[in-house]
PDB file of all heavy atoms in Angstrom:
ATOM      1  N   ILE Y  36     106.343  86.804  95.277  1.00 95.00           N
ATOM      2  CA  ILE Y  36     106.523  88.186  94.862  1.00 95.00           C
ATOM      3  C   ILE Y  36     107.520  88.855  95.802  1.00 95.00           C
ATOM      4  O   ILE Y  36     107.376  88.783  97.026  1.00 95.00           O
ATOM      5  CB  ILE Y  36     105.178  88.946  94.891  1.00 95.00           C
ATOM      6  CG1 ILE Y  36     104.208  88.303  93.905  1.00 95.00           C
ATOM      7  CG2 ILE Y  36     105.373  90.426  94.584  1.00 95.00           C
ATOM      8  CD1 ILE Y  36     102.791  88.822  94.022  1.00 95.00           C
ATOM      9  N   ASP Y  37     108.508  89.516  95.212  1.00 95.00           N
ATOM     10  CA  ASP Y  37     109.500  90.252  95.997  1.00 95.00           C
ATOM     11  C   ASP Y  37     108.826  91.509  96.546  1.00 95.00           C
ATOM     12  O   ASP Y  37     108.527  92.438  95.804  1.00 95.00           O
ATOM     13  CB  ASP Y  37     110.685  90.625  95.117  1.00 95.00           C
ATOM     14  CG  ASP Y  37     111.778  91.376  95.850  1.00 95.00           C
ATOM     15  OD1 ASP Y  37     111.635  91.625  97.063  1.00 95.00           O
ATOM     16  OD2 ASP Y  37     112.786  91.691  95.197  1.00 95.00           O
ATOM     17  N   ILE Y  38     108.564  91.524  97.843  1.00 94.00           N
ATOM     18  CA  ILE Y  38     107.872  92.673  98.443  1.00 94.00           C
ATOM     19  C   ILE Y  38     108.832  93.697  99.026  1.00 94.00           C
ATOM     20  O   ILE Y  38     108.403  94.747  99.499  1.00 94.00           O
ATOM     21  CB  ILE Y  38     106.844  92.234  99.510  1.00 94.00           C
ATOM     22  CG1 ILE Y  38     107.504  91.436 100.626  1.00 94.00           C
ATOM     23  CG2 ILE Y  38     105.710  91.470  98.865  1.00 94.00           C
ATOM     24  CD1 ILE Y  38     106.566  91.111 101.776  1.00 94.00           C
ATOM     25  N   SER Y  39     110.126  93.426  98.958  1.00 90.00           N
ATOM     26  CA  SER Y  39     111.090  94.373  99.517  1.00 90.00           C
ATOM     27  C   SER Y  39     111.102  95.687  98.737  1.00 90.00           C
ATOM     28  O   SER Y  39     111.491  96.714  99.279  1.00 90.00           O
ATOM     29  CB  SER Y  39     112.484  93.758  99.573  1.00 90.00           C
ATOM     30  OG  SER Y  39     112.934  93.384  98.297  1.00 90.00           O
ATOM     31  N   LYS Y  40     110.660  95.655  97.495  1.00 85.00           N
ATOM     32  CA  LYS Y  40     110.599  96.869  96.686  1.00 85.00           C
ATOM     33  C   LYS Y  40     109.463  97.789  97.140  1.00 85.00           C
ATOM     34  O   LYS Y  40     109.525  98.986  96.935  1.00 85.00           O
ATOM     35  CB  LYS Y  40     110.403  96.505  95.218  1.00 85.00           C
ATOM     36  CG  LYS Y  40     111.545  95.693  94.647  1.00 85.00           C
ATOM     37  CD  LYS Y  40     111.221  95.207  93.260  1.00 85.00           C
ATOM     38  CE  LYS Y  40     112.288  94.248  92.781  1.00 85.00           C
ATOM     39  NZ  LYS Y  40     111.950  93.616  91.522  1.00 85.00           N
ATOM     40  N   ASP Y  41     108.443  97.210  97.729  1.00 90.00           N
ATOM     41  CA  ASP Y  41     107.259  97.973  98.120  1.00 90.00           C
ATOM     42  C   ASP Y  41     107.207  98.315  99.601  1.00 90.00           C
ATOM     43  O   ASP Y  41     106.489  99.228 100.000  1.00 90.00           O
ATOM     44  CB  ASP Y  41     105.995  97.188  97.739  1.00 90.00           C
ATOM     45  CG  ASP Y  41     105.907  96.958  96.241  1.00 90.00           C
ATOM     46  OD1 ASP Y  41     106.116  97.914  95.481  1.00 90.00           O
ATOM     47  OD2 ASP Y  41     105.645  95.807  95.843  1.00 90.00           O
ATOM     48  N   PHE Y  42     107.932  97.564 100.412  1.00 90.00           N
ATOM     49  CA  PHE Y  42     107.898  97.763 101.862  1.00 90.00           C
ATOM     50  C   PHE Y  42     109.321  97.850 102.398  1.00 90.00           C
ATOM     51  O   PHE Y  42     110.059  96.864 102.368  1.00 90.00           O
ATOM     52  CB  PHE Y  42     107.153  96.612 102.555  1.00 90.00           C
ATOM     53  CG  PHE Y  42     105.730  96.478 102.119  1.00 90.00           C
ATOM     54  CD1 PHE Y  42     105.381  95.566 101.131  1.00 90.00           C
ATOM     55  CD2 PHE Y  42     104.741  97.259 102.688  1.00 90.00           C
ATOM     56  CE1 PHE Y  42     104.068  95.438 100.719  1.00 90.00           C
ATOM     57  CE2 PHE Y  42     103.421  97.130 102.282  1.00 90.00           C
ATOM     58  CZ  PHE Y  42     103.077  96.227 101.302  1.00 90.00           C
ATOM     59  N   ASN Y  43     109.697  99.005 102.900  1.00 87.00           N
ATOM     60  CA  ASN Y  43     111.069  99.217 103.394  1.00 87.00           C
ATOM     61  C   ASN Y  43     111.444  98.269 104.523  1.00 87.00           C
ATOM     62  O   ASN Y  43     112.606  97.905 104.674  1.00 87.00           O
ATOM     63  CB  ASN Y  43     111.253 100.655 103.866  1.00 87.00           C
ATOM     64  CG  ASN Y  43     111.243 101.627 102.708  1.00 87.00           C
ATOM     65  OD1 ASN Y  43     111.573 101.261 101.592  1.00 87.00           O
ATOM     66  ND2 ASN Y  43     110.856 102.857 102.959  1.00 87.00           N
ATOM     67  N   ASN Y  44     110.486  97.875 105.330  1.00 89.00           N
ATOM     68  CA  ASN Y  44     110.774  96.991 106.470  1.00 89.00           C
ATOM     69  C   ASN Y  44     110.751  95.510 106.091  1.00 89.00           C
ATOM     70  O   ASN Y  44     110.858  94.655 106.954  1.00 89.00           O
ATOM     71  CB  ASN Y  44     109.800  97.258 107.617  1.00 89.00           C
ATOM     72  CG  ASN Y  44     108.370  96.979 107.233  1.00 89.00           C
ATOM     73  OD1 ASN Y  44     108.003  97.064 106.058  1.00 89.00           O
ATOM     74  ND2 ASN Y  44     107.535  96.679 108.212  1.00 89.00           N
ATOM     75  N   MET Y  45     110.622  95.197 104.814  1.00 91.00           N
ATOM     76  CA  MET Y  45     110.552  93.808 104.346  1.00 91.00           C
ATOM     77  C   MET Y  45     111.691  93.487 103.389  1.00 91.00           C
ATOM     78  O   MET Y  45     111.498  92.890 102.338  1.00 91.00           O
ATOM     79  CB  MET Y  45     109.215  93.561 103.643  1.00 91.00           C
ATOM     80  CG  MET Y  45     108.036  93.688 104.534  1.00 91.00           C
ATOM     81  SD  MET Y  45     108.040  92.325 105.686  1.00 91.00           S
ATOM     82  CE  MET Y  45     106.481  92.541 106.449  1.00 91.00           C
ATOM     83  N   LYS Y  46     112.894  93.881 103.765  1.00 92.00           N
ATOM     84  CA  LYS Y  46     114.059  93.613 102.911  1.00 92.00           C
ATOM     85  C   LYS Y  46     114.305  92.114 102.793  1.00 92.00           C
ATOM     86  O   LYS Y  46     114.249  91.387 103.769  1.00 92.00           O
ATOM     87  CB  LYS Y  46     115.308  94.292 103.480  1.00 92.00           C
ATOM     88  CG  LYS Y  46     115.224  95.802 103.494  1.00 92.00           C
ATOM     89  CD  LYS Y  46     115.149  96.357 102.105  1.00 92.00           C
ATOM     90  CE  LYS Y  46     115.070  97.869 102.124  1.00 92.00           C
ATOM     91  NZ  LYS Y  46     114.486  98.419 100.932  1.00 92.00           N
TER      92      LYS Y  46
END
Side-chain angles (χ1 to χ4, degrees):
I36 298 170
D37 181 0
I38 58 174
S39 60
K40 298 172 188 173
D41 299 313
F42 299 97
N43 290 334
N44 62 333
M45 296 291 188
K46 296 296 180 203

